[in-house]
Amino acid sequence: MSREPDLIGPSEFMRLLEIRFDERSATRVTGSVAADERHHQPWGLIHGGLYTTVIESFATTGAFEAVKDQGMQAVGVSNQTDFLRPHRSGRLDVVAVPVHQGRTQQLWQVEIRRPEDRKLVARGQVRLQNVPAGA
């Protein structure tokens, strides 16, 4: 029996991101994230750590969906994020899809875009290891 985790509630960090999931499946995760002055670096732009965190969060959510019924969970082992254009404020759209889903590892790619013009703000990929749940 798999249990569905509360993806936002128990963590102040996750609440600060204000992630909203619209779709969560083994092959696609979509939603959005808050991006405002709470997430700025000292020069008034969204901190790259926000993008890295969001990419990891969406990839891990999809990877979990892919293995949860097998008594497994997915843990990140590598996160590569590219920051493509600056952003100051406004929710951003996020889409994650798998590149590879194997028996022991998964590779997910994630794009973060501005909703008003669909321009790519950041993109990344996360490699995850499938491990027994609770390990």
Side-chain angles (χ1 to χ4, degrees):
M1 180 169 114
S2 67
R3 63 181 175 86
E4 290 296 317
D6 178 357
L7 300 178
I8 307 299
S11 166
E12 184 65 31
F13 182 59
M14 292 300 288
R15 284 192 297 275
L16 177 65
L17 299 175
E18 290 183 28
I19 288 176
R20 294 182 192 146
F21 290 104
D22 298 326
E23 178 183 355
R24 290 184 356 210
S25 76
T27 59
R28 185 173 169 88
V29 180
T30 66
S32 64
V33 62
D36 57 42
E37 64 280 347
R38 296 171 299 159
H39 311 109
H40 281 179
Q41 34 86 321
W43 299 274
L45 299 171
I46 299 301
H47 193 289
L50 173 91
Y51 303 130
T52 302
T53 299
V54 169
I55 286 167
E56 177 111 9
S57 298
F58 275 71
T60 302
T61 298
F64 169 78
E65 292 293 332
V67 298
K68 68 181 182 181
D69 293 336
Q70 302 163 31
M72 306 285 280
Q73 66 185 40
V75 295
V77 295
S78 173
N79 180 332
Q80 180 192 336
T81 301
D82 297 308
F83 314 119
L84 302 171
R85 60 178 33 89
H87 184 71
R88 291 191 186 279
S89 189
R91 288 196 75 80
L92 295 167
D93 291 337
V94 185
V95 176
V97 295
V99 174
H100 170 77
Q101 292 179 299
R103 184 177 51 79
T104 61
Q105 288 194 349
Q106 299 184 55
L107 180 64
W108 281 72
Q109 83 180 18
V110 184
E111 293 184 344
I112 302 174
R113 294 182 179 271
R114 296 189 307 218
E116 62 273 10
D117 61 10
R118 305 305 305 149
K119 288 197 175 183
L120 197 57
V121 174
R123 64 154 306 277
Q125 66 179 32
V126 179
R127 179 170 300 282
L128 303 108
Q129 186 77 31
N130 301 329
V131 300

